[in-house]
Amino acid sequence: MQTVNVAVLGMGTVGQGVAIMLIKQQEFWQKQLGCQLVLKRILEKYHDKQLDFDRGEIAMSGNWQDIVGDPEIHIVIETMGGIEPAKTFISEALQSGKHVVTANKDLLALHGQELFAIAKEKGVDLYFEASVGGAIPILSALRQNLTADPLQEVMGIVNGTTNYILTRMAKEGGDFSAILADAQKLGYAEANPASDIEGIDSGRKAAILSTLAFHSQVTLDDVYIQGITEITREDMIFADQMGYAIKLLALCKEVEGKIEARVHPTLLPKSHPLASVQDTFNAIFVKGENLGEVMLYGRGGRPFSHSQRHFG
Amino acid sequence: MQTVNVAVLGMGTVGQGVAIMLIKQQEFWQKQLGCQLVLKRILEKYHDKQLDFDRGEIAMSGNWQDIVGDPEIHIVIETMGGIEPAKTFISEALQSGKHVVTANKDLLALHGQELFAIAKEKGVDLYFEASVGGAIPILSALRQNLTADPLQEVMGIVNGTTNYILTRMAKEGGDFSAILADAQKLGYAEANPASDIEGIDSGRKAAILSTLAFHSQVTLDDVYIQGITEITREDMIFADQMGYAIKLLALCKEVEGKIEARVHPTLLPKSHPLASVQDTFNAIFVKGENLGEVMLYGRGGRPFSHSQRHFG
């Protein structure tokens, strides 16, 4: 049986989660894939870091050359986040003929085009499904199943933290700042929540969605962004009385040949499928000429633990 | 530029809809695929049938040999429905190295395994995405994106007619038989509605979903089926008062290594994402060990026209 060797970069919560899944599900995947998927190497700058699992024979190193220089590594999974050194590592991995899996939306929203060009040139794959919508297979759908139809619009709730805050504001009638503080305490919002509540995280995802849906090249700078920090208790109450929900939406449209990508709080009629997406759930709504309306719904972040969400 | 030639079998509403799309979207698909997708031949037993579109140079014949014998036909799209002659045609098309696309769930639920074996042997594809959930890419998701996770449960609203009737019963408080009669008048239910209201159509889809989700071989005979004909006005009112919606669900589970596939009316808490799926919409809910809960939602039937639904 063929063996496919994997390296995981970064042993944060996400990286450890991936490593544990690779170890735990080896037998299941062997049946599914007809080959052995083996976690062979780990990159972690603190290479004496205590891990949540027994790494057994798996080599752990703080030196990137140990990984990129190993011709037996076929797939590199990047979970470090941030722009550098992730960009250099991914680019060098692709250059040396390794497939790469990443959920690094900051990087993809800024340098996606460049990295995809390298992957194409080298004939390897750059997978990034989890960068938008977590477990929801929206990016594959946009790249494969839904490509037969000219798409008109993609809109979605793509940030779990803001949807959690808005859901609680709607249910409890509380103030934004009080609920944000509580969300931070409960682990639904980060200590520095700016990227989520100001809509930047959703903006990055809007760039990725627009790029795929309209076969274009949209970066974060092209996206109009407004967060949820100005939403008040009163806004929520008035919206509710008029039959609307307030949701932070990423909106991508093609209008007369021009692509429009926006993120802002939006009034949605309560009968709209996106209006009933609650708590940290994500959902993406796609409208096509022939397919009509399709919605994909699921957990945005990793399901491992609520208090350690990382994918936004 | 490479040319890929297509034949469409059957010029009913679905077949004509497919033909019109093939003609209308030729330029769009050329850009998407980098090759020309050309409708070359049509099979229609009434070969002098009046069509809704101008077929120009496209050859129309009542003789299957004209199509299976043409080595230039690469893809056969079957839209005739029923078991025979669809089964013979699909099987001969695969045998002669042609890819086949079908939404014939009656056939797949009974003879899917046999046809897939031929496709595999001949190295050609047998696509059947539209057989469950219409435009919703659920089958690809089960075959590709969601295969990385051991699935625990698949459940869905997979029949538009029954969901339309139940939605109206819930909203209007009407009787089953009165609303069925009205649905037939409006074109949401067929003149002979047995296959829909007795749950057979959902049962076929449950067989296909179970087969894919659990890598098994489930046929219609393995599915426990109960339709919606016994649901009363009072059932709906009591369910509503207790905070539940009544939906006809296809339920597929793996319980202690045994696959359980069932179709029956089910009480769903109103907060469940499937509870708010209205009218003729379909939705399929997938639960996996690591991915948590994912739901795909969209139109079950073809979006062309409400009064001529065919995919159930």
Side-chain angles (χ1 to χ4, degrees):
Chain A
M1 186 179 290
Q2 204 200 334
T3 297
V4 174
N5 291 307
V6 179
V8 174
L9 315 187
M11 281 291 116
T13 318
V14 176
Q16 295 205 43
V18 170
I20 290 168
M21 257 170 64
L22 280 165
I23 296 166
K24 203 181 69 177
Q25 297 202 166
Q26 202 168 17
E27 207 178 316
F28 173 78
W29 285 337
Q30 198 168 305
K31 264 200 297 185
Q32 295 282 92
L33 303 168
C35 71
Q36 253 189 318
L37 207 60
V38 175
L39 176 54
K40 192 184 169 198
R41 290 183 177 277
I42 286 169
L43 180 78
E44 167 56 47
K45 63 182 165 185
Y46 309 106
H47 59 276
D48 51 357
K49 181 173 180 166
Q50 277 295 107
L51 301 179
D52 293 343
F53 60 98
D54 174 16
R55 70 177 163 90
E57 307 269 286
I58 303 161
M60 185 154 96
S61 146
N63 183 357
W64 166 238
Q65 292 310 320
D66 289 345
I67 286 161
V68 74
D70 180 349
E72 282 188 355
I73 294 289
H74 304 101
I75 301 176
V76 170
I77 304 179
E78 183 270 314
T79 73
M80 305 179 302
I83 303 299
E84 284 295 356
K87 186 177 171 232
T88 304
F89 291 178
I90 290 178
S91 143
E92 289 181 6
L94 295 168
Q95 293 281 6
S96 53
K98 300 181 194 310
H99 304 290
V100 173
V101 180
T102 179
N104 190 330
K105 56 194 172 287
D106 311 32
L107 181 58
L108 291 171
L110 281 175
H111 304 287
Q113 212 66 25
E114 181 188 337
L115 296 170
F116 287 113
I118 302 173
K120 200 175 168 185
E121 189 203 320
K122 292 289 168 181
V124 291
D125 285 315
L126 173 55
Y127 281 109
F128 54 107
E129 184 58 70
S131 60
V132 180
I136 309 172
I138 177 65
L139 301 187
S140 313
L142 289 178
R143 291 173 89 188
Q144 295 168 29
N145 317 111
L146 305 181
T147 50
D149 204 30
L151 298 184
Q152 296 164 330
E153 195 177 353
V154 175
M155 63 180 182
I157 295 168
V158 290
N159 180 275
T161 299
T162 46
N163 202 48
Y164 175 82
I165 293 172
L166 292 175
T167 303
R168 281 194 53 188
M169 284 178 75
K171 274 189 196 156
E172 300 166 20
D175 269 322
F176 172 76
S177 51
I179 289 177
L180 169 61
D182 199 47
Q184 287 175 305
K185 222 186 308 170
L186 294 167
Y188 290 108
E190 311 217 6
N192 178 355
S195 150
D196 289 327
I197 62 175
E198 283 166 11
I200 316 292
D201 178 76
S202 295
R204 291 194 182 104
K205 290 162 176 171
I208 297 172
L209 289 172
S210 307
T211 299
L212 290 179
F214 304 114
H215 312 277
S216 57
Q217 189 172 341
V218 179
T219 66
L220 183 57
D221 295 336
D222 304 319
V223 184
Y224 168 82
I225 293 174
Q226 188 194 332
I228 63 162
T229 53
E230 309 287 312
I231 306 280
T232 64
R233 236 179 115 248
E234 287 70 29
D235 292 332
M236 290 310 246
I237 293 168
F238 288 143
D240 183 66
Q241 284 172 354
M242 295 187 299
Y244 289 90
I246 297 180
K247 293 291 185 185
L248 183 68
L249 294 189
L251 296 137
C252 317
K253 264 189 213 178
E254 198 169 347
V255 183
E256 294 170 4
K258 265 198 71 179
I259 288 141
E260 197 182 291
R262 311 188 317 250
V263 169
H264 52 72
T266 308
L267 284 167
L268 275 175
K270 283 183 191 167
S271 59
H272 193 286
L274 285 172
S276 52
V277 175
Q278 306 282 313
D279 300 323
T280 60
F281 277 90
N282 284 200
I284 294 118
F285 189 87
V286 180
K287 216 164 154 179
E289 211 174 292
N290 299 296
L291 66 87
E293 300 167 344
V294 169
M295 190 177 83
L296 284 76
Y297 164 99
R299 279 195 197 285
R302 297 168 312 104
F304 297 108
S305 146
H306 270 307
S307 59
Q308 300 167 306
R309 287 186 334 101
H310 265 234
F311 287 173
Chain B
M1 187 179 288
Q2 204 199 334
T3 298
V4 174
N5 291 308
V6 179
V8 174
L9 315 187
M11 281 290 115
T13 318
V14 176
Q16 294 205 44
V18 169
I20 290 168
M21 257 171 65
L22 280 165
I23 296 165
K24 201 182 72 179
Q25 296 202 167
Q26 200 168 20
E27 207 179 315
F28 172 78
W29 284 338
Q30 197 168 306
K31 264 201 297 188
Q32 295 281 89
L33 303 169
C35 71
Q36 253 188 317
L37 209 59
V38 176
L39 176 54
K40 194 184 169 199
R41 291 184 177 275
I42 286 169
L43 181 78
E44 168 54 48
K45 62 181 164 184
Y46 308 108
H47 59 277
D48 51 357
K49 180 172 181 167
Q50 276 296 107
L51 302 178
D52 293 343
F53 61 97
D54 175 15
R55 71 176 162 92
E57 307 268 285
I58 304 161
M60 186 153 97
S61 148
N63 182 356
W64 167 239
Q65 292 309 319
D66 289 345
I67 287 162
V68 73
D70 181 349
E72 282 188 354
I73 294 288
H74 305 99
I75 301 175
V76 170
I77 304 179
E78 183 269 314
T79 73
M80 305 178 302
I83 302 301
E84 282 298 354
K87 186 177 170 233
T88 303
F89 291 178
I90 290 177
S91 143
E92 289 182 6
L94 295 169
Q95 293 281 7
S96 53
K98 301 181 194 309
H99 304 290
V100 173
V101 180
T102 180
N104 191 329
K105 54 194 175 286
D106 310 31
L107 181 57
L108 291 170
L110 280 175
H111 303 287
Q113 213 67 23
E114 182 188 337
L115 296 170
F116 287 113
I118 303 174
K120 200 176 169 187
E121 190 203 319
K122 293 291 167 180
V124 291
D125 285 316
L126 173 55
Y127 281 109
F128 55 107
E129 183 59 68
S131 60
V132 180
I136 308 173
I138 177 65
L139 301 187
S140 312
L142 288 178
R143 293 173 87 189
Q144 295 168 29
N145 316 111
L146 306 181
T147 49
D149 204 30
L151 298 184
Q152 296 164 328
E153 194 176 356
V154 175
M155 62 180 183
I157 294 168
V158 291
N159 180 275
T161 299
T162 45
N163 201 49
Y164 175 82
I165 294 172
L166 293 175
T167 303
R168 281 194 52 188
M169 284 178 75
K171 275 190 195 157
E172 300 166 19
D175 269 323
F176 171 76
S177 51
I179 288 176
L180 169 61
D182 198 47
Q184 287 175 305
K185 222 186 309 172
L186 294 168
Y188 290 108
E190 310 216 7
N192 179 355
S195 151
D196 289 327
I197 62 176
E198 282 168 13
I200 316 293
D201 178 77
S202 295
R204 292 195 180 103
K205 291 161 176 171
I208 297 173
L209 288 172
S210 306
T211 299
L212 290 178
F214 304 115
H215 312 277
S216 57
Q217 189 172 340
V218 179
T219 67
L220 182 57
D221 295 336
D222 305 318
V223 184
Y224 168 83
I225 294 175
Q226 187 193 333
I228 63 163
T229 53
E230 309 288 311
I231 305 282
T232 64
R233 234 178 118 250
E234 288 69 30
D235 292 333
M236 289 311 241
I237 293 168
F238 289 143
D240 183 66
Q241 284 172 354
M242 294 186 300
Y244 289 90
I246 297 180
K247 294 289 186 186
L248 183 67
L249 294 189
L251 295 138
C252 317
K253 265 189 212 176
E254 200 170 345
V255 183
E256 293 169 6
K258 265 198 71 178
I259 288 140
E260 195 182 292
R262 312 189 315 250
V263 169
H264 54 71
T266 309
L267 284 168
L268 275 174
K270 284 184 189 166
S271 59
H272 194 284
L274 285 173
S276 52
V277 175
Q278 305 283 312
D279 301 323
T280 60
F281 276 90
N282 283 200
I284 294 117
F285 189 87
V286 180
K287 216 163 153 181
E289 208 173 296
N290 298 294
L291 64 88
E293 301 166 344
V294 169
M295 189 178 82
L296 284 75
Y297 164 100
R299 278 194 196 286
R302 297 168 314 106
F304 297 108
S305 145
H306 270 309
S307 58
Q308 299 168 307
R309 288 182 337 99
H310 265 234
F311 287 172

